[in-house]
């Protein structure tokens, strides 16, 4: 069974056994620096966390963190967020797609689908050349229902 939340939770618990701490729903809004060295981060609620090392794992919008740190121009590898069409639909009730479904990819049609939790099907685009690409500069998401 595919369960990304459980896998992520397990990683959290493993890190906590080694002294790691997690702050949820906290946005990094500033990377504080002094004398050419990073000194820590500031969160949206004003809380300051001091650190000699800050690791950027901000995912698709990690370029924003690089920008906050003033190092965007120095990066040999840069990131850009590409909007990606995904549909999450219920499987037919008479078929247990979560258990018996398979991961399928069809590059000719530019589509994949795979089992998802709660007997759903995750249908995604493989970004075929015929589809216009939408690059995003902002992490604000829009969801079409
Ligand atoms: C619908 C969908 C289905 C997918 N299915 C699969 C799959 O089946 N198999 C697979 O291998 N991969 C899959 N992926 C891809 C996979 O989810 C990503 O590759 C993976 O999550 C990337 O991990 P990451 O830690 O680099 O980034 P993310 O998981 O994006 O984590 C980055 C985190 O940083 C946080 N963050 C960003 N900016 C800030 C800030 N300023 N302050 C604080 N926090 C911040 C974000 O909120 C986020 O929690 C799927 C992705 C999507 C969207």
């Amino acid at each position: 069974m595919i369960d990304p939340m459980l896998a992520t939770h397990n990683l959290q618990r493993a890190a906590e056994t080694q002294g790691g701490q997690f702050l949820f729903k906290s946005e990094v809004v500033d990377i504080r620096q002094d004398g050419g060295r990073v000194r820590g981060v500031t969160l949206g609620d004003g809380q300051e966390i001091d650190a000699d090392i800050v690791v950027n794992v901000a995912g698709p919008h990690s370029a924003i963190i690089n920008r906050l740190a003033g190092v965007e121009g120095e990066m040999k590898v840069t990131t850009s967020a590409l909007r990606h069409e995904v549909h999450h639909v219920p499987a037919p009730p008479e078929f247990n797609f979560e258990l018996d479904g398979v991961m399928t990819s069809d590059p000719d049609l530019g589509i994949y689908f795979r089992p998802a939790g709660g007997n759903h099907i995750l249908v995604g685009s493989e970004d075929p050349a015929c589809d216009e690409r939408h690059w995003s500069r902002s992490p604000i998401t829009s969801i079409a229902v």
Side-chain angles (χ1 to χ4, degrees), residues 22-60:
F22 288 76
L23 289 177
F24 295 107
K25 302 194 185 304
S26 301
E27 184 185 1
V28 170
V29 294
D30 189 26
I31 313 258
R32 285 177 290 107
Q33 294 168 69
D34 186 30
R37 293 279 314 172
V38 71
R39 297 294 173 208
V41 301
T42 304
L43 305 182
D45 64 2
Q47 185 184 351
E48 295 192 342
I49 299 174
D50 296 333
D52 293 331
I53 298 173
V54 173
V55 181
N56 180 359
V57 288

Side-chain angles (χ1 to χ4, degrees), residues 37-143:
R37 293 279 314 172
V38 71
R39 297 294 173 208
V41 301
T42 304
L43 305 182
D45 64 2
Q47 185 184 351
E48 295 192 342
I49 299 174
D50 296 333
D52 293 331
I53 298 173
V54 173
V55 181
N56 180 359
V57 288
H61 291 281
S62 54
I64 294 173
I65 300 294
N66 287 340
R67 206 174 305 145
L68 284 179
V71 296
E72 193 180 21
E74 305 169 17
M75 291 289 134
K76 290 199 169 58
V77 177
T78 58
T79 58
S80 308
L82 174 65
R83 284 191 187 279
H84 183 80
E85 190 175 358
V86 173
H87 299 271
H88 190 249
V89 295
E94 65 277 9
F95 183 67
N96 190 337
F97 196 81
E98 198 173 353
L99 205 62
D100 299 322
V102 292
M103 164 84 196
T104 307
S105 164
D106 187 335
D108 288 336
L109 292 177
I111 191 173
Y112 70 85
F113 51 91
R114 67 157 170 81
N119 203 25
H120 278 66
I121 307 173
L122 187 84
V123 187
S125 166
E126 293 183 355
D127 300 317
C130 58
D131 280 357
E132 192 184 339
R133 296 196 155 193
H134 297 279
W135 300 97
S136 168
R137 292 278 293 172
S138 161
I140 297 167
T141 53
S142 62
I143 299 172

